[in-house]
Amino acid sequence: MKVVLAYSGGLDTSTILLLLRKMYNAEVITVTVDVGQEEELEGVEERAYKLGAVKHYTIDAKKEFAEKYIAPAIKANGLYEDAYPLGTALARPLIAAKVAEIAIKEGADAVAHGCTSKGNDQVRFELTLKALLPEDIEIIAPVRKHMLTRKQSIELLRKYGYDVPSTHSKYSIDENLWTRSIEGGVIDDPAAEPPEDAFAWTVDPSKAPDTPLSLEIGFEKGVPVSINGEKMDLVKLIETLNRLVGFHGYGRIDHIENRVVGLKSREVYEAPAALTLIAAHRDLEKMVLTPRELRFKRLADTVWTDLVYSGLWVEPLRIHLQKFIDSVNEYVTGTVKLKVYKGSLTITGRWSPYSSYSKEVIDYNEGWYPSDEEARGFITLHGLHSLASIKARGLSNLL
Ligand code: ARG
């Protein structure tokens, strides 16, 4: 039996590699997809071969991740339950697609992943895999099937004489360009403040520099293209912002999240670039869009975000909504100015060639004014439905 394993190099997938060989007698091909998980990538290939993989692939998918997954999330202002920038949720369908591609190329009998039965990731992986794999390639989830705990995994690796991966920490970390997610350990207690050692991308805001960081972010058609006038590709732009903004203590998230599998979980994230870019993008949309576009788009954004979170990257509605979101973003071009200071972000200015904002029109002292008659007419018609109804129902006493 030939199995292609989505391999992160961490504790769970290392144990699976061993399990697949010992229990299933499988020939294992490991696939690691680089979506910007800097720390975690070190020594992964070597570990895979040490644990007995017959072949290993490391695929650099950072550019594809940024352009095909993150850019749409920026255009959709994707913050699940108003807080989580979807890092893991966006990376899973991409990783699954790469694994499927290799499984087909290698003529594998099965693909394996390291998800448990309590998380969202099993849903995300498997739905994308099912969409792309022929039916005779099986999907196996050994951690879920054998209900492996982290403790058992460590014991198993030791029993066969292997080192426990050094990436194994007090927390369960999932990292990519867009978000660093921290779960487990003391963080599972929703009342406890996350300890400082949970964070790696952001400085403790109280220890951040005393001078604010001023930035100008340029957008073209809803996608960020420059920082302070310097053009850069999206991968570099995100990496740069993570560093600059994280250094000023901005980008931490602590919230209670409703998982797709019916559980609530306490989630801690670091996402300096994601939060900055979404805040700036939302601001620029307000500068450009009509109020009707803006209000309708918020609904579309929320539905798109919920679909992506819940593993339904494969849902046609996600694709329809993305076309709408792209279309609205055609004119979201311009620049947003902001300041980051000790863990807070403030937008301080914006401009766009496509804005209907007119300083001359809004000026309270001079220039164009609606006449008294025009204003009266507007107010009468604007309130007609409401006033006629409230009077007809005799409800004026409730005002
Ligand atoms: N709750 C997030 C999600 O479902 C992040 C999960 C990341 N996993 C981890 N082991 N930290 O997308």
Side-chain angles (χ1 to χ4, degrees):
M1 168 156 148
K2 202 189 246 187
V3 183
V4 170
L5 168 65
Y7 185 62
S8 70
L11 176 65
D12 290 335
T13 53
S14 293
T15 313
I16 293 172
L17 173 41
L18 195 63
L19 259 176
L20 288 169
R21 285 184 45 233
K22 304 281 177 200
M23 275 178 68
Y24 294 68
N25 230 339
E27 220 176 84
V28 186
I29 297 169
T30 43
V31 180
T32 305
V33 183
D34 178 2
V35 281
Q37 65 278 41
E38 275 171 25
E39 277 173 53
E40 295 170 20
L41 276 178
E42 249 170 71
V44 169
E45 173 167 0
E46 201 193 325
R47 195 171 312 137
Y49 284 124
K50 238 187 189 165
L51 286 160
V54 294
K55 195 168 181 183
H56 174 83
Y57 289 86
T58 298
I59 301 168
D60 181 354
K62 290 196 285 291
K63 191 168 148 57
E64 193 177 347
F65 184 42
E67 287 169 6
K68 274 176 64 186
Y69 297 80
I70 295 177
I74 297 170
K75 292 189 201 175
N77 302 307
L79 289 178
Y80 179 65
E81 295 185 335
D82 298 326
Y84 166 44
L86 297 174
T88 303
L90 290 164
R92 291 306 182 247
L94 170 61
I95 298 170
K98 298 294 175 203
V99 168
E101 200 183 304
I102 288 170
I104 293 167
K105 186 175 116 188
E106 292 282 353
D109 304 292
V111 298
H113 64 73
C115 305
T116 72
S117 58
K118 283 192 181 176
N120 297 319
D121 286 338
Q122 52 175 344
V123 183
R124 298 169 181 153
F125 263 130
E126 289 187 27
L127 289 178
T128 307
L129 286 171
K130 278 170 187 269
L132 298 173
L133 284 177
E135 263 171 40
D136 60 337
I137 301 187
E138 206 192 329
I139 299 171
I140 43 184
V143 172
R144 188 172 70 195
K145 185 158 182 197
H146 304 289
M147 302 236 269
L148 267 183
T149 61
R150 295 179 78 81
K151 205 172 142 232
Q152 287 169 322
S153 290
I154 295 174
E155 277 165 15
L156 208 84
L157 284 173
R158 289 210 173 116
K159 185 178 140 200
Y160 284 99
Y162 292 103
D163 303 332
V164 175
S166 59
T167 45
H168 167 65
S169 75
K170 300 191 229 174
Y171 310 106
S172 163
I173 309 283
D174 184 59
E175 186 183 85
N176 62 46
L177 262 186
W178 201 228
T179 316
R180 180 170 182 270
S181 142
I182 311 119
E183 289 177 339
V186 279
I187 283 170
D188 284 347
D189 173 2
E193 184 175 342
E196 214 31 56
D197 69 0
F199 300 102
W201 288 9
T202 52
V203 164
D204 175 349
S206 67
K207 301 206 172 83
D210 292 326
T211 40
L213 167 75
S214 296
L215 292 174
E216 283 182 16
I217 302 184
F219 285 85
E220 266 167 34
K221 300 185 185 221
V223 180
V225 292
S226 66
I227 300 177
N228 298 336
E230 189 192 327
K231 290 239 175 207
M232 51 186 100
D233 71 66
L234 193 52
V235 173
K236 187 167 172 225
L237 188 141
I238 293 166
E239 286 171 346
T240 306
L241 273 186
N242 272 335
R243 218 173 356 88
L244 288 177
V245 174
F247 186 65
H248 284 261
Y250 179 70
R252 295 184 177 185
I253 300 153
D254 176 348
H255 89 137
I256 299 297
E257 187 169 297
N258 289 298
R259 287 190 188 169
V260 57
V261 290
L263 311 170
K264 278 193 190 294
S265 74
R266 196 276 185 93
E267 300 282 339
V268 174
Y269 300 106
E270 293 180 283
L275 293 188
T276 303
L277 290 172
I278 291 171
H281 177 264
R282 281 182 100 117
D283 185 88
L284 193 58
E285 280 192 334
K286 285 189 179 174
M287 184 69 171
V288 174
L289 304 189
T290 69
R292 277 112 188 167
E293 285 175 316
L294 192 68
R295 278 159 184 70
F296 188 78
K297 183 169 180 293
R298 285 207 182 128
L299 303 176
D301 287 350
T302 307
V303 177
W304 186 92
T305 300
D306 285 352
L307 287 173
V308 173
Y309 181 83
S310 70
L312 289 171
W313 188 260
V314 297
E315 159 65 49
L317 178 60
R318 196 267 309 160
I319 299 164
H320 293 307
L321 289 173
Q322 208 152 301
K323 287 187 182 153
F324 165 76
I325 289 166
D326 283 345
S327 164
V328 180
N329 270 281
E330 271 298 299
Y331 300 98
V332 184
T333 292
T335 301
V336 178
K337 217 165 64 170
L338 52 90
K339 258 188 191 151
V340 188
Y341 180 62
K342 290 194 184 287
S344 75
L345 178 139
T346 317
I347 307 269
T348 53
R350 75 288 289 157
W351 56 94
S352 166
Y354 300 114
S355 177
S356 62
Y357 189 100
S358 156
K359 191 162 175 315
E360 198 221 328
V361 172
I362 62 100
D363 197 307
Y364 287 107
N365 297 311
E366 51 185 19
W368 176 80
Y369 264 89
S371 68
D372 180 59
E373 210 182 330
E374 283 170 332
R376 280 175 181 280
F378 171 74
I379 294 163
T380 302
L381 293 175
H382 181 63
L384 210 52
H385 279 304
S386 307
L387 290 179
S389 299
I390 209 152
K391 281 183 189 150
R393 295 175 200 179
L395 294 177
S396 303
N397 59 323
L398 295 181
L399 300 177

